[in-house]
Amino acid sequence: MPHSYQPRPEHKFTFGLWTVGNPGGDPFGPPVRNPRSPVELVHLLADAGAYGVNFHDDDLVPIDASPSKRDRIVSDFKDALDETGLTVPMATTNLFSDPAFRDGAFTSHDPEVRDYALQKTMRAMDLGAELGAEVYVFWGGREGAETDAGQPPTDAIKRYREAINYLAEYNADQGYGLRFALEPKPNEPRGNLFFPTVGAMLAFIQTLDRPETVGVNPEVAHEHMSGLNFTHAVAQAHDAGKLFHIDLNDQAFGRYDQDFRFGAESPKRAFFLVRFLEKVGYEGPRHFDAHAHRTSGWEDVRVFAEGCMKTYLILKEKAEQMRADDEIQALLGEINPDGHAQSEAANGFSSEGAASLKERSFDREALGERTQPYERLDQLVTDLLLGVR
Ligand code: DIG
Ligand code: MN
Ligand code: MN
């Protein structure tokens, strides 16, 4: 019986309404697919085997909806969630589409825009909490600049900090218990976005009033746009206890944000990411912030969603095979033997230790003669991924 890569709720696969619901418009052409309602998208995702659905406020409730229309939309959405069993692990705010935010939201030079952005976010947090969200994502799509001729970037950093601090107090005041996940991106739609990488966001979080309630939402495509190794970025977030959420997709390096199906561009990089997430026991949602091609019809959009989850499950199985592969494990043992005597730094500093280390003699040339069989290791992993092992 061939392995079935059938997604199950325990895999925690989630999609945003804006992903499978994307009607295919782009900067160079109008939408090509007839829009689907949030209720239809919930059923599409449930049929594909997803665990949850996420949304920006405007994805679910149009920005100009009347209170009664809002209530009806939310009620219908809740019914669809009840019928399908889908959950809402994450919610977020659209602070990038409306023209009011064209020069930023939290970082706008206009205090009235900044205040409107706070109001819109508090109302969106209310909606997310009402639907059971546990993580609240902030992606600053308009928090950036096309020229540095304007105010110094320190103004933007200060304003973004003021906004996140204010909303963290609102979260506490309301007792929502939401975990904030800040999502970095280097550029697009703005020429340069503030807080461009995971590293920049991790540093920013340390300057907040309640840093313990704020983590990051790294996205594959966004670190690749900066030419960075995504697994290394995720590892640093995990090491800092800040991997609160993750946006999975794929992306060629140095291109505009492609948001490809997970593993579509570089299955080997996707493999090392899945191996890491499974090895460290990441417990959060596997959220696919990805979009089907503009050429797809709705049937191909469903295939796209299934493909994201199937590829993750295939790579998860490959990671299990790698762990069970004696030759690979023996090589890993040779490269990094568990029994390796700890280096001085691992044992902690002492004046005596430092004094004796400074006197220790090293055979530097002998050290330089030591080799590592990474070619053999990487080829074995490549054989595994290409299905010949
Ligand atoms: C883009 O990568 C951003 C928006 O889609 C959304 O605000 C966030 C949620 O994952 N990702
Ligand atoms: Mn993206
Ligand atoms: Mn994203």
Side-chain angles (χ1 to χ4, degrees), residues 16 18-19 54-56 59 90-96 137-141 181 183-185 188 217-219 221-222 245-249 257 259 287-291:
W18 70 90
T19 66
N54 307 313
F55 58 84
H56 300 84
D59 300 333
M90 179 271 274
T92 183
T93 324
N94 186 324
L95 294 176
F96 46 85
V137 163
F138 292 81
W139 171 61
E183 178 174 342
K185 185 177 180 182
E188 189 196 18
N217 177 40
E219 176 172 315
H222 300 175
H245 197 264
I246 193 165
D247 275 3
L248 301 174
N249 52 25
D257 192 6
D259 289 336
H287 175 233
F288 297 106
D289 186 6
H291 301 261

Side-chain angles (χ1 to χ4, degrees), residues 198 202 216 218 232-243:
V198 169
L202 289 172
V216 290
H232 293 190
V234 168
Q236 185 172 0
H238 175 77
D239 175 73
K242 294 295 181 184
L243 186 60

Side-chain angles (χ1 to χ4, degrees), residues 108-136:
S108 168
H109 295 313
D110 184 337
E112 201 170 359
V113 170
R114 298 204 296 272
D115 287 348
Y116 170 55
L118 285 177
Q119 179 197 78
K120 191 171 194 287
T121 305
M122 286 190 285
R123 289 177 175 172
M125 288 167 66
D126 296 343
L127 178 60
E130 180 182 345
L131 289 163
E134 293 174 355
V135 173
Y136 203 82

Side-chain angles (χ1 to χ4, degrees), residues 271-272 322 328 377-386:
F271 167 72
F272 289 128
M322 181 176 173
I328 291 177
L377 175 64
D378 193 63
Q379 185 59 46
L380 286 173
V381 173
T382 301
D383 292 354
L384 183 71
L385 293 177
L386 297 180

Side-chain angles (χ1 to χ4, degrees), residues 13 23 75 78 94-95 103 144 162 181 212 220 223 281 296 319 321:
F13 292 134
S75 165
K78 282 180 179 174
N94 186 324
L95 294 176
D103 189 25
E162 286 165 353
E212 69 285 355
V220 177
E223 297 303 297
S296 297
Q321 286 173 5

